[in-house]
Amino acid sequence: MLQRSASLGRPTAVELEVIRASLGGIVQEMQNSLFRTGFSTIIRESQDASCALLDANAAVIAQHVVLPLHIGAFPACTQAVLHAFAGDIAPGDAFLINDPYEGGSPHAPDMAVITPLFFEDTLVAFCASIAHKGDIGGPVPGSCSGQAREVFNEGLQLPPVRYQRNFLPFGDVERIIAANSRTPELVLGDIRGQLGSARLGERRLAALLEKFGLAKCVAAFDELGSIAERRMRAIIKTWKDGVFEAERYVDDDGVELSKPVCIHVRVEKTGDAIRFDFTGSADQTRGPANIRPPLVQAACAYALISLVDPNIFITSGILRAFTVETRSSSVLNPRYPAPVNTYNPTVHAVVDAIFAALGQLVPERSRADGCGSRSIILGGRGTNTGSSYVQYEIVGGGAGARSTRDGASGTTVNQSNAKIAPVEIIESEFPTRLLAFELIRDSGGAGKFRGGLGIRRKYLNLADARFSIRSTKHVIPAEGYADGLPGRTGDIRINPDEDSWKRLPSRYADYPLKAGDVFELETPGGGGYGDPLTRDPASVLADVREGYVSVEAAGRDYGVVLVAGPKGPRLDGEATQRLRAARSKAGAA
């Protein structure tokens, strides 16, 4: 492992900036390579993957942020490799790991590929990526059972294993992975794409080391981390001191459906130091709603980056700017082998709680809650090829409104930064047809600034399939902020137009769909910000004309009276003033 020394050469300010830009370019190029070589729609279309460079001590020195949680996952996975193979890492090696406990993967489908870079016979860095795999075994297609009781229900678990030595693959590893997947060609193709992006990163980083020399580059890695930490601390210091608390709830854990899961955060801010205390959160859950501490740390980092500087250069120096405390055997620090695979709704609750607490420190950056996250998974056999398929989609909803503008509609929020797969791709690759894909009117929470709208996506299933969903906010809505109203909750229904229709919980695994069945997913809207009676009536009228808000909701939620006109609804200003005055008087009483 590379030792630091005060005698190492120091880059000039210009050289430091060139090295910083070069590192950012390398991870961007790695990311582009990964997306372009992805076999599965999860990587190729939804882009559920991130790339990073780490130093010899497993600290992130650059990350292309597609999925912010990976700032905590990359160091934990790489540290696990260093621990398992200390003294036995050589040029041409490659390692795999997806174990959420021994490493830092959010859940087992998120597999890390990590390769070391040597320069002048010295281990200098690691090139890494983490990418979601469509299926790694387990009881249900997609390996994400909403009713899992332990990690053994969540598919193949890989501790740190050597994937290549001297640039040559170990075929046994690939055969084991293939034997545990319903879609082995896609999984192995995606892993090889990850390996290719890592090898590309090695070549580009080696060229940078050749250009500036080992000493200057290593010193630059350290300095970039220190700059990020100093930047974070300098802004934090300007915030008021104090203790601020907030909590949010997850609908359920997938097993105990009537029991919401509490996430509580206590933020202590003194000077340039900030501490996140989550010890008041719920005990670990029986179902797969648990998350591991690296993700809690990453959620805190994401929230602080959003408030301090969204354009900050991403390094592990950011993680040194704050501390996190969790309680053993809690939902945020579960004991092995507690299940973790539907982790994302819990992380959203963590992020929403953090923002609710930090909004008291930085009110100008406060915001309402967003829609959370969800994925739907179908598995079966294709109608054309007869081979197994796994259709995995990530679907967004409405973002929470902010203190200065409406929330975005039909988008992913917080740390869920993946894309919705295009209709054309879904229909061409899977036995599915999209009957509807639209925004849901009146789903955004009312406020001075309106929450973003959720999405309705309606499918016709063309072949027998096994259906799973992992979602949130179907019971507990996205909360508004500063008197803003909550967003509309989500829903998932089977054959919604028939008398025998069925509603599924927000987490459900292995529902048997028949050919000809229809299922309809409605995603939550974001919360509103501020008193709806203070929203500009012209903005309400525009929303009605765009189809975002109904005429009825304009009067009910915003106190805006609209009447029919020759070119559609028009504003009745006097009636609006009277209605709002009456509402305000009634509220004051």
Side-chain angles (χ1 to χ4, degrees), residues 356-379:
L358 292 180
Q360 302 171 61
L361 281 82
V362 197
E364 67 275 13
R365 296 288 185 92
S366 57
R367 33 137 278 188
D369 292 356
C371 63
S373 65
R374 65 219 29 87
S375 57
I376 58 171
I377 309 163
L378 289 88

Side-chain angles (χ1 to χ4, degrees), residues 128-385:
S129 64
I130 297 175
H132 187 105
K133 301 294 170 287
D135 187 274
I136 55 166
V140 300
S143 310
C144 288
S145 171
Q147 280 77 56
R149 303 297 183 95
E150 55 186 4
V151 293
F152 306 112
N153 300 137
E154 300 177 357
L156 178 67
Q157 310 283 318
L158 290 176
V161 296
R162 199 186 308 273
Y163 180 48
Q164 285 195 341
R165 170 128 264 185
N166 196 28
F167 300 102
L168 298 175
F170 287 101
D172 290 347
V173 174
E174 288 199 346
R175 284 193 289 273
I176 290 170
I177 294 171
N180 282 273
S181 176
R182 296 171 177 86
T183 57
E185 297 86 358
L186 297 183
V187 169
L188 292 180
D190 285 343
I191 291 174
R192 292 165 185 165
Q194 287 182 257
L195 179 63
S197 73
R199 297 302 188 203
L200 173 63
E202 289 178 45
R203 294 194 298 273
R204 297 293 187 262
L205 190 52
L208 185 67
L209 290 161
E210 287 281 0
K211 180 176 181 179
F212 288 98
L214 178 61
K216 281 189 177 181
C217 284
V218 170
F221 300 163
D222 287 344
E223 181 60 20
L224 289 171
S226 297
I227 289 172
E229 180 183 2
R230 292 197 299 269
R231 169 68 175 158
M232 297 292 289
R233 290 187 179 276
I235 299 300
I236 290 170
K237 190 174 182 178
T238 66
W239 299 346
K240 63 182 178 182
D241 290 348
V243 176
F244 309 89
E245 299 187 54
E247 63 184 24
R248 290 294 186 268
Y249 288 85
V250 182
D251 287 353
D252 56 67
D253 70 348
V255 173
E256 298 180 276
L257 299 183
S258 61
K259 183 179 179 182
V261 181
C262 176
I263 303 299
H264 185 277
V265 64
R266 185 174 189 267
V267 178
E268 302 174 9
K269 190 272 175 181
T270 306
D272 68 351
I274 194 163
R275 176 174 175 266
F276 298 92
D277 181 353
F278 294 95
T279 56
S281 298
D283 292 340
Q284 72 180 52
T285 61
R286 296 173 61 199
N290 303 292
I291 65 174
R292 299 278 297 132
L295 300 194
V296 181
Q297 182 188 44
C300 296
Y302 161 75
L304 286 175
I305 290 169
S306 300
L307 296 175
V308 170
D309 181 4
N311 298 312
I312 195 170
F313 192 70
I314 303 299
T315 79
S316 284
I318 293 169
L319 304 180
R320 299 195 296 265
F322 61 91
T323 58
V324 178
E325 184 177 357
T326 59
R327 175 171 55 85
S328 180
S329 303
S330 73
V331 65
L332 307 185
N333 189 1
R335 295 190 315 274
Y336 180 84
V340 298
N341 74 62
T342 61
Y343 69 93
N344 230 333
T346 304
V347 181
H348 278 281
V350 170
V351 170
D352 285 340
I354 293 171
F355 274 120
L358 292 180
Q360 302 171 61
L361 281 82
V362 197
E364 67 275 13
R365 296 288 185 92
S366 57
R367 33 137 278 188
D369 292 356
C371 63
S373 65
R374 65 219 29 87
S375 57
I376 58 171
I377 309 163
L378 289 88
R381 294 201 171 269
T383 52
N384 296 325
T385 65

Side-chain angles (χ1 to χ4, degrees), residues 418-502:
K419 297 181 178 180
I420 301 172
V423 173
E424 297 83 356
I425 295 297
I426 294 301
E427 293 190 340
S428 65
E429 298 194 19
F430 305 110
T432 304
R433 293 294 177 267
L434 266 292
L435 304 179
F437 181 27
E438 59 193 3
L439 297 176
I440 303 172
R441 184 163 52 186
D442 292 336
S443 57
K448 179 179 181 180
F449 296 100
R450 173 184 45 75
L453 274 60
I455 292 171
R456 177 180 292 108
R457 211 159 151 100
K458 190 174 184 179
Y459 300 75
L460 170 63
N461 199 52
L462 301 181
D464 291 356
R466 301 163 64 186
F467 176 81
S468 297
I469 182 170
R470 52 187 192 127
S471 186
T472 190
K473 299 188 187 297
H474 289 202
V475 178
I476 302 170
E479 291 192 25
Y481 196 90
D483 296 325
L485 300 184
R488 183 178 185 265
T489 53
D491 203 359
I492 176 70
R493 296 185 295 272
I494 309 298
N495 294 319
D497 301 321
E498 298 182 7
D499 292 339
S500 58
W501 69 275
K502 181 180 180 63

Side-chain angles (χ1 to χ4, degrees), residues 15 46 66 120 196 198 211 242 269 294 370 401 408 452 464 505 550 563 565 585:
E15 289 172 329
S46 297
V66 176
E120 297 175 354
K211 180 176 181 179
K269 190 272 175 181
D464 291 356
S550 67
V563 296
K585 184 177 180 180

